[in-house]
Amino acid sequence: MNAEHAEQLWEQKDAPSSADGPHPWALLLAAGRGSRMAAATGGTSKQFLLWKNAPLYWHSALTFSRSGVVAGIVFVFPPDALARCEAEVRALDVRHPLGLPWKAVGGGVERDDSVRNGLAALPATVRHLLIHDAARPFVSARLVRAVRASLAEGAEAVIPALPVTDTIKMVEGDRVLSTLPRHQLAAVQTPQGFVRAALEAAHAARVAELAGGRARPVTDDAMLMEGAGHTVRVVPGEKTNCKITTVEDMALLSPPPFLQPRTGMGYDVHRYAPDPAAPKARPMKLGGVAIDKAPAVLAHSDGDVLLHALCDALLGCACLGDIGEHFPDADERFDNISSAVLLDQVLTRVRRAGVRPCHADMTIVAQRPRLAAHKEAIRANVARLLRLPPEAVNVKATTEERLGFTGREEGIKAYAVVSALFRPPVADDAGDAHVC
């Protein structure tokens, strides 16, 4: 539905109504120049930054259109870009239909001027309106409905607000003048709702004040209504209804990080030493726990077959190769080194790769020694080494019914499976700018 159709339609009949009153129109302010962020956006005003393949102002428009309580929208754009912006809205409306009539008008030098231009463009039958900053693209339909509901209940002006949690002080230069009563303070958001006739009268009074050179600074339309003696009602705001104001706020436009599941498998085997005093014979350790009355194992490191399998599983989650690549057995630095030290280094490398282990399941295969009495100690120590709760680690032990080299008591082997979450790097397109 284009602007011309909108004007014909809404001048011919009243705006839709429901049991609790007429539906308001939304006035979407997108005429600001965004000078504070110009260096970061290449001179593009923040309301035209692309987010999810659409300019910021369009996300608010879609939310208003999906709220079920808005009858139409007036877009207020920079006057020198009005024709291009109107053409863009028309194209966006084809791709993602608003399902509402809309108009586009040029703004003014100041915010007040833009609001007055928007008011003048409203169909004559509109009684209530919602005014919203286009740089708040995260507004919810719930909040739109809450503001509208308060208007329908008879309020002349409505603002969403959040309680202030910081201590606020009035300062002059580097000197504190006073501490303000925090329980009486609120951080105000948009959309703000108004009775049209009352707001137009408040704006007319401000124009007269400006002409007389006695007008005070005004930061929102609710302040005008306060000055005109109207009661401004408050509804709960939303923490997520942030305004893109500073360069740091642009991080909110980055794609949210998402986690990918990863699974790594590890396997290792060690031969039993024929003589505990033989070169490279190591007392048996499993999961960092010394196993008494067990065969010694032949190994370059301390021979902890379970931790070696666990290292390989972790490296598999991060696609970082295997333990032999990182700690070769020809390197004398690793002679008789604790496998717990190797595991800690592997964990560091895995975490740097964006992988967070969350579960480990391990199986030790040996004809001897019997390991039932050691499993809980192994489980607790592995959980400690992995920095996981014990309930996220499982240890199993089995024999191979006298089959194979383990069945012949020639050695021991272990399997490990690690589950992890991977946070892939994302392209930050928050700075991608767009001019309509």
Side-chain angles (χ1 to χ4, degrees):
M1 185 179 297
N2 61 28
E4 291 77 17
H5 187 194
E7 186 165 0
Q8 294 171 5
L9 176 62
W10 292 99
E11 293 295 349
Q12 289 173 3
K13 66 175 187 177
D14 291 338
S17 299
S18 64
D20 53 356
H23 288 358
W25 271 55
L27 202 163
L28 195 59
L29 299 180
R33 297 296 179 180
S35 56
R36 280 178 290 184
M37 295 174 59
T41 64
T44 300
S45 300
K46 56 195 174 185
Q47 64 269 30
F48 299 123
L49 293 174
L50 280 182
W51 180 49
K52 297 182 180 179
N53 299 315
L56 290 193
Y57 73 82
W58 186 249
H59 295 278
S60 296
L62 284 176
T63 299
F64 280 110
S65 73
R66 306 299 189 255
S67 70
V69 296
V70 171
I73 299 174
V74 173
F75 296 91
V76 184
F77 290 122
D80 57 355
L82 178 58
R84 287 174 291 157
C85 290
E86 186 170 3
E88 179 176 72
V89 172
R90 192 172 293 112
L92 289 167
D93 197 20
V94 170
R95 194 192 326 162
H96 300 290
L98 291 173
L100 297 176
W102 58 267
K103 298 182 179 184
V105 299
V109 177
E110 302 292 341
R111 185 183 188 278
D112 292 355
D113 303 316
S114 294
V115 172
R116 283 191 287 274
N117 290 355
L119 285 169
L122 290 172
T125 54
V126 173
R127 294 168 49 198
H128 295 150
L129 71 146
L130 307 177
I131 299 178
H132 185 63
D133 294 326
R136 290 187 187 270
F138 313 116
V139 63
S140 74
R142 185 210 66 81
L143 186 58
V144 173
R145 288 192 289 267
V147 173
R148 184 265 173 166
S150 186
L151 284 175
E153 290 167 0
E156 290 182 306
V158 186
I159 59 171
L162 292 173
V164 172
T165 56
D166 294 327
T167 296
I168 305 297
K169 295 185 182 292
M170 184 177 293
V171 299
E172 185 176 68
D174 62 355
R175 186 169 61 94
V176 173
L177 299 181
S178 64
T179 299
L180 302 179
R182 186 169 60 186
H183 68 281
Q184 293 181 330
L185 301 176
V188 177
Q189 303 176 331
T190 65
Q192 299 181 357
F194 303 98
V195 172
R196 178 184 183 174
L199 183 62
E200 287 178 333
H203 270 276
R206 177 160 178 78
V207 170
E209 290 176 357
L210 288 169
R214 59 184 187 279
R216 57 179 179 146
V218 172
T219 55
D220 67 359
D221 294 279
M223 190 172 177
L224 278 181
M225 295 290 278
E226 296 164 35
H230 298 286
T231 298
V232 178
R233 301 295 180 188
V234 177
V235 297
E238 296 176 338
K239 290 183 179 180
T240 54
N241 186 24
C242 303
K243 186 177 181 180
I244 306 302
T245 304
T246 66
V247 173
E248 290 74 20
D249 295 334
M250 290 171 66
L252 297 170
L253 306 179
S254 299
F258 63 96
L259 301 178
Q260 295 177 356
R262 288 284 182 90
T263 302
M265 178 183 173
Y267 169 79
D268 196 38
V269 58
H270 281 295
R271 186 188 301 274
Y272 288 158
D275 180 353
K280 302 289 186 179
R282 316 296 189 194
M284 183 180 289
K285 286 183 179 180
L286 292 173
V289 175
I291 308 299
D292 295 333
K293 301 178 182 180
V297 297
L298 294 173
H300 182 62
S301 66
D302 68 357
D304 193 325
V305 68
L306 186 62
L307 291 190
H308 293 179
L310 189 58
C311 284
D312 266 355
L314 288 163
L315 291 167
C317 286
C319 300
L320 290 177
D322 60 54
I323 189 173
E325 297 174 33
H326 295 271
F327 314 108
D329 58 11
D331 192 329
E332 290 304 312
R333 291 178 301 165
F334 307 124
D335 182 32
N336 202 25
I337 191 171
S338 167
S339 295
V341 173
L342 301 182
L343 178 66
D344 186 66
Q345 293 187 31
V346 166
L347 267 176
T348 298
R349 297 175 194 189
V350 164
R351 288 178 178 274
R352 284 176 180 167
V355 173
R356 295 295 181 268
C358 56
H359 175 262
D361 185 27
M362 298 164 288
T363 302
I364 306 165
V365 183
Q367 198 65 39
R368 70 181 176 99
R370 297 291 180 176
L371 297 172
H374 300 282
K375 287 197 302 181
E376 276 306 310
I378 294 171
R379 177 191 186 197
N381 198 53
V382 169
R384 179 184 66 83
L385 294 173
L386 291 177
R387 301 163 208 166
L388 292 175
E391 57 268 23
V393 174
N394 189 51
V395 177
K396 306 186 292 291
T398 186
T399 68
E400 285 192 308
E401 302 294 334
R402 300 286 175 183
L403 299 174
F405 77 90
T406 56
R408 294 190 299 270
E409 301 184 7
E410 296 174 1
I412 186 171
K413 62 185 177 182
Y415 299 90
V417 176
V418 170
S419 300
L421 294 173
F422 172 58
R423 177 169 292 171
V426 294
D428 183 2
D429 62 353
D432 288 350
H434 176 70
V435 179
C436 58

